Amino acid sequence: MSGARRLAGATAVLAVLAIPPWLLATLTRAHLPGWPTSTQLRDWLTDPLTPATLTTGLIAVAWLLWLGMAYTVTVTAARRLRAGARWVRHLPLPTPWQAAATSIAGAAALTTAHTPSTHPPDPPNPPTPITADELEHPSNAAQTEQGGVVVPGGWLPDDIAHHIAAAAALVWLRRRRAHQPGQPDTDATQLTPLPATVTAVQAAIADQPPPPAATTGALQAPLPPAGIRLAGDGADHAARGLLVTRLLTALRDPTDTTPVIVTSNALTRLLPSVAEIAATIPGLHVVDTLDHAAALLPASSTSSTADHGIPSLVLTAGPATAAPLNLPGARVVTLDAAAPVPTWRVDCNGHTVDHQTGQPRPRMCVLDGTAAADLLAVLAQPTTAAPDPAASAPARPINRAQAKIPRQANRISPPTPQRPTEAAATAVQLRVLGRPALLIDSKEVAIRRSAALQILVFLAVHPDGATTTRLVQALWPGLPAHTVTGRLYTTLSDLRSTIRATSADQVVVHTEDRYHLDPRTYVDLWRLQAAAHHSATTNAPGSWQAAMDAYTGDLAAGHTWPWIDPPREAARRLVLDAHTNAAAAQTDPHERLRLLQAAIRIDPYNQQLHQLAADQLNALGDSAAAADLLHTHRQRLRLAGILDQPMITAR
C-alpha cells in the first residue's frame, strides 16, 4: 500500500507539473501569436483596458502561478532527496574486512552444518565477564605488554617490576621502623612520595600476580662467561638496566654476597646524579680501575659461582686490555668500543642481537638516566646515626594533623573538618579509615568503578581540592594527562549518577578549576585530624582518647594505590602520637603498658614502641616478656628484610 501511494503521489505531481503548461500553450496559442510589436505597445499604452490586453494579462498570471507551483514542488523534492542521501551515508554498511569475515563465517557454518562428527562436541567455555575496570582502562596495554612493563624512560621485565614494587614497600617499612612517636620529626623526607618512575611501575603491576621466583641472584639476561661489550643506540640504557637488575636481585636475597662493581668512569657516564648516594646502595662498589675490582671479588669466585648463575657484575666504560676483562667468577660488561670481547647490539627498546652471529639475544632491561636514578633511589638506605640517649628529648605532643598530609595551594576555601565532639548526623558519610565506603542515610552505596572510589579517598586526603591534572597524575601515573582526562570525566559522571540514584546531595563538587568534597560530608579522616589537632593544642589529660577512638584502621586498607603511602603513614603517625603521649601522661604503669601495646598492634614494625614497651615490662619485673617482645620484633624485621639495615633508635 505504501508503494502504491507513493506511485500515485508521484503521478499526481508529474500531472500538475506537465498538464497546466500543455493546456496553456494549446489554448492560448491564438491569443499570443508572438512577441508584441511597437505599434501594439503604443496602442496598449493609449488604451490599456481592451479585451485583448485583459486576456493577455490573465494568461501571464496563469503562467506565473504555474511557475510558482513548479518551484515549490522542485524545492520540496530536492530537500527530501538530500535528507535521504544523508540517511544512506550514515547507514552502518560493513567494511571490506567485515564483509569478508562474514562471508567466511557463513561458508564455515554451511560446511560444518553438513559435516558428520563421531565425537560429541566439547562443552562451551563460560564467557569471561568484563569488569567495569576493564571498560574503564582500555589503554592499560600501553603500560604493560607481554613479558614486561613500559615506563617513562624504559622497559622492564615483569620480575624486575615486581622487585621494584617490593623495594618500594621496604622503603615505607624502614620509615615506619625509624619513626619516633611523640617526638618532633627532624627528617623532612620521611613522608616524601617515591619517585615518579617507581609509582608508574606500581600502577602498572597493581593487578598482576607476582611471577614465579627465578633463580636467586640470576642476571636478567644471560651473559657470555668471557664478558661482553654493549653497542648500539641502547647500549647505555641496557647497562643501566643490568646495574639496577643485579642490585634488585641482591636486595631480594640478603644472603647473596656477590658484589656489583662499577668503575667511576662508567658511573659518571651512565648515572652522574647517583654518585653522591652510591655509598648508601647496598651491594654497589665504585672503583677506579678493573685492578681494584679484581681485589673486591670473593676469593672463592670460581666456576662454581658461575654454574649457580650468581656471578658478580663488573661494569666499566673506559679503555681496557684483554687481561683485566677476564675476571674469574664475574661477568664484565664494558662500553669500550675497542674491547676484544663478544659484542651485543642493543636498541632503545632492549632488543638485542649478537653482532658476530646475527642471532637475536634475550631482551634486556633498558632505562634512561632519570628512570634508573629513580629506581636506585628506593635502594638507597638511610645512614642516620642513633641519637645519644642522654640527649633524647622527652616525648611531647606535636601537631601533625595538618602538617603531614600533603596539601596543594588553596584557591577555594577548604572544608572545615568536624570537631570530634560533633555527632555524625550528616546524611552523607565517607569512611576512608579501614575499608573505604560511602554511606547515604546509613546505607552503603555500591560504587562500580575502582577509580571512583580512589577519587573519593584522594579528595578526602586533600580537602582543599585537586585540579583535573592532579587527579589524573595520581590515578594514572606514567600516562600523559591529556590521554586519560576523558577517563576521569567518565568516572566522575558515573559516580555522580550513582549518588543521584540514592540522594539529592552532591558529594564531589567542582569549584573554579578544582574538585573537592562537599564540606557537609562527614569524613572520618577529618575527624581524626581535628581530634589530633585539638589534643595537641590543649595537651589535657585524656584529650588523646578522641584521636585513638577516631582511628578505625589504616587509610584505605587493602588498596595499593601508588599515591596512598604518604597520607596512610601520616594518618598512622597521628594515632601513634596519641597513644605515646597518652602513655607518657599515665601514672598507672599497667595502663601505660596497655597503651603502648595497643600502639604496637597498629604498627608492629616501629622500633621505639617496642623499646618503650620492653622498658615498661622490665620496670614491672617481667624481663622474660620484655626479651620475648624484642625477639619477636627482630624476627618480624628479619622476615621483612630490614633487620640489618641502618635505623634510628630511641636508645
Side-chain angles (χ1 to χ4, degrees), residues 106-126:
L110 291 175
T111 303
T112 56
H114 297 282
T115 302
S117 175
T118 59
H119 301 284
D122 294 332
N125 294 325

Side-chain angles (χ1 to χ4, degrees), residues 172 175 189-194 199 202 404-406 461-462 470 555 561-573:
W172 288 106
R175 294 178 178 181
T189 65
Q190 283 293 296
L191 293 175
T192 303
L194 298 181
T199 58
Q202 290 176 309
K404 288 305 175 187
I405 293 183
V461 171
H462 300 83
R470 181 71 183 93
L555 178 65
W561 303 319
W563 59 269
I564 196 65
D565 286 314
R568 176 180 288 164
E569 179 62 16
R572 184 186 291 116
R573 292 187 178 188

Side-chain angles (χ1 to χ4, degrees), residues 459-492:
L459 295 180
V461 171
H462 300 83
D464 50 349
T467 62
T468 299
T469 302
R470 181 71 183 93
L471 279 172
V472 166
Q473 291 173 346
L475 270 63
W476 300 286
L479 294 178
H482 67 277
T483 64
V484 288
T485 302
R487 192 184 304 175
L488 174 66
Y489 294 152
T490 302
T491 302
L492 288 170

Side-chain angles (χ1 to χ4, degrees), residues 130-353:
I130 299 178
T131 64
D133 285 336
E134 291 173 334
L135 295 175
E136 178 185 357
H137 304 294
S139 62
N140 274 353
Q143 280 292 98
T144 59
E145 59 181 36
Q146 184 67 31
V149 175
V150 178
V151 298
W155 177 87
L156 306 98
D158 281 335
D159 56 341
I160 301 303
H162 284 277
H163 290 341
I164 291 168
L170 289 182
V171 170
W172 288 106
L173 286 182
R174 289 197 298 267
R175 294 178 178 181
R176 289 172 61 178
R177 180 190 63 167
H179 171 60
Q180 299 186 45
Q183 298 287 337
D185 283 333
T186 58
D187 188 357
T189 65
Q190 283 293 296
L191 293 175
T192 303
L194 298 181
T197 306
V198 179
T199 58
V201 171
Q202 290 176 309
I205 65 171
D207 300 324
Q208 293 184 7
T215 303
T216 301
L219 291 173
Q220 178 262 330
L223 302 177
I228 192 173
R229 180 176 76 89
L230 298 178
D233 296 337
D236 289 5
H237 294 62
R240 298 186 194 97
L242 276 175
L243 181 64
V244 172
T245 296
R246 188 63 187 87
L247 291 171
L248 282 168
T249 54
L251 179 69
R252 179 185 62 181
D253 185 9
T255 62
D256 183 5
T257 58
T258 56
V260 180
I261 304 171
V262 59
T263 58
S264 56
N265 56 7
L267 188 63
T268 302
R269 170 175 171 175
L270 299 175
L271 295 163
S273 62
V274 179
E276 55 188 38
I277 66 168
T280 65
I281 300 176
L284 179 63
H285 302 273
V286 182
V287 298
D288 293 331
T289 64
L290 290 181
D291 293 332
H292 297 157
L296 289 175
L297 293 174
S300 60
S301 291
T302 61
S303 59
S304 61
T305 58
D307 294 340
H308 287 83
I310 52 172
S312 301
L313 173 66
V314 179
L315 182 60
T316 180
T321 61
L325 288 178
N326 187 15
L327 299 176
R331 296 292 184 266
V332 180
V333 178
T334 180
L335 302 174
D336 176 21
V341 290
T343 300
W344 285 4
R345 304 196 67 84
V346 189
D347 64 14
C348 291
N349 295 319
H351 299 290
T352 308
V353 176

Side-chain angles (χ1 to χ4, degrees), residues 1 53 121 126 136 138 167 221 231-232 252 274 341 378 383 417 426 428 435 448 517 531 536 566 585:
M1 290 296 293
T53 56
E136 178 185 357
R252 179 185 62 181
V274 179
V341 290
V378 302
T383 57
T426 311
V428 180
R435 184 181 67 86
R448 294 173 293 182
L517 295 178

